[in-house]
Amino acid sequence: MAGWIAPVDEWTVFDQRWRDALRTSGLADKPFHMTDCESGHGAFDGWSSERRRDLVKSLVTILCETNAFGHGVAVNRTLPPEAGLGDRWLAEEPYGFAFPQFLAFMCDRAAAFLDGAERINFIFDRQATWADPTSRVYRDIQSAPGPGFRISDRMGTLSFGGSGDHTALQAADLLAFEVRKEFEAVGAEQRRAQRRSFVRLLSTGRVSASDIRSTSRDFNLQLLQHLQKRGGI
C-alpha cells in the first residue's frame, strides 16, 4: 500500500503536469498503471521499453518536484514459527494492518504543512473488496483510545474514486509498485540493485517505505485488541 499527501494547491499544479506528461507520451487521457507500463501490457501494448522508461522518468520527475510526502507499507505474509494471534491476523488480513499504519504515518508527516484544526481528506482507490473494511477501520481508528492512536484530530473525510479521475491515485500506484519491487529485492537470495526510479524518489527526502512486520508490531497489537473489543474482527 502506498500514497501521497500534499497541500491542496500542490495537487492542482501536480494534476495538470501529470496529465500533460501522459498526453505528451501518447497515452492521451487513459490512466497510468505502473504494472502495465513495466510489462508493456494494456494501454502500453506495442510501446518500446525506451518509450515506457521515458514516461516513468517524466512522472518521477514531476513527483520529485512536487511538495508531497510519499510512503509505502509492505506486508510480509510469511508466518514465523512462533506466530501469535496478531501474526495470524496479519497473514490473513494484511490490509487491516497496513491501512492504519499508513494513516498514522501520513497524519504524522502532514504536520509539516497543516495548521490549527486543518484535517486531511483521504481518497482511496475504489475497489469493491476493500471499500467496506477500509471505511470500518477508518471509523475504528477515529474512536480508538490511548496515545498510540492520537491521529483522529487530523483525519478528515474518507472517499473513494477512480484513477482516471484522480491522478494522485495513479501516483500512488507508481509508488506502490516501486515499494513492492524494493522489498522483493531486499528479500531476494542475492540483494538486487535498487531501481533508479525508486532511488530518485528517496533522494527527495520526502519518500519512505516500511516493512509492517518489523516496524509496527506494538501498534498492530494495540489496534488488534481495540478492534476485538469493538467486535471488528
Side-chain angles (χ1 to χ4, degrees), residues 157-201:
T157 61
L158 171 67
S159 59
F160 300 89
S163 59
D165 298 322
H166 302 281
T167 52
L169 291 176
Q170 299 175 38
D173 177 75
L174 185 154
L175 181 57
F177 181 91
E178 294 293 346
V179 169
R180 178 170 63 85
K181 286 295 184 180
E182 173 65 12
F183 280 95
E184 287 178 352
V186 170
E189 290 186 9
Q190 283 192 320
R191 175 66 162 94
R192 298 192 296 269
Q194 287 184 307
R195 292 166 55 88
R196 292 181 180 179
S197 46
F198 190 60
V199 171
R200 288 185 63 199
L201 292 171

Side-chain angles (χ1 to χ4, degrees), residues 8-228:
V8 174
D9 55 347
E10 285 287 332
W11 285 129
T12 302
V13 176
F14 167 85
D15 181 75
Q16 186 60 57
R17 293 188 64 190
W18 187 278
R19 293 184 187 279
D20 286 346
L22 297 185
R23 294 190 186 103
T24 300
S25 73
L27 199 59
D29 292 323
K30 297 177 182 177
F32 174 84
H33 294 292
M34 186 62 178
T35 299
D36 288 345
C37 183
E38 186 77 5
S39 62
H41 293 154
F44 301 94
D45 183 31
W47 286 39
S48 67
S49 58
E50 181 179 9
R51 184 182 177 190
R52 289 183 278 117
R53 282 197 303 269
D54 287 343
L55 174 56
V56 172
K57 288 179 182 177
S58 297
L59 298 180
V60 169
T61 295
I62 294 171
L63 287 168
C64 289
E65 294 175 352
T66 300
N67 183 27
F69 294 101
H71 185 66
V73 179
V75 179
N76 181 353
R77 300 180 68 179
T78 303
L79 283 171
E82 68 283 5
L85 177 59
D87 289 309
R88 291 198 302 273
W89 188 44
L90 173 57
E92 296 168 2
E93 300 289 344
Y95 196 88
F97 273 145
F99 181 59
Q101 280 297 307
F102 176 77
L103 287 178
F105 186 89
M106 287 309 206
C107 288
D108 180 66
R109 296 302 296 269
F113 51 79
L114 289 181
D115 296 320
E118 285 186 297
R119 293 174 179 260
I120 307 162
N121 293 329
F122 289 95
I123 301 176
F124 281 82
D125 193 18
R126 186 189 299 114
Q127 296 185 23
T129 304
W130 297 113
D132 286 342
T134 296
S135 299
R136 185 179 68 250
V137 173
Y138 193 86
R139 292 192 300 269
D140 286 336
I141 294 174
Q142 284 183 312
S143 66
F149 301 95
R150 297 188 183 258
I151 60 173
S152 60
D153 59 338
R154 290 300 190 191
M155 293 167 63
T157 61
L158 171 67
S159 59
F160 300 89
S163 59
D165 298 322
H166 302 281
T167 52
L169 291 176
Q170 299 175 38
D173 177 75
L174 185 154
L175 181 57
F177 181 91
E178 294 293 346
V179 169
R180 178 170 63 85
K181 286 295 184 180
E182 173 65 12
F183 280 95
E184 287 178 352
V186 170
E189 290 186 9
Q190 283 192 320
R191 175 66 162 94
R192 298 192 296 269
Q194 287 184 307
R195 292 166 55 88
R196 292 181 180 179
S197 46
F198 190 60
V199 171
R200 288 185 63 199
L201 292 171
L202 289 178
S203 69
T204 65
R206 299 190 306 273
V207 173
S208 59
S210 59
D211 179 340
I212 194 168
R213 188 180 295 282
S214 63
T215 61
S216 57
R217 183 177 300 275
D218 291 343
F219 183 95
N220 292 339
L221 292 179
Q222 289 180 47
L223 179 63
L224 174 63
Q225 293 165 0
H226 172 67
L227 297 182
Q228 284 179 314

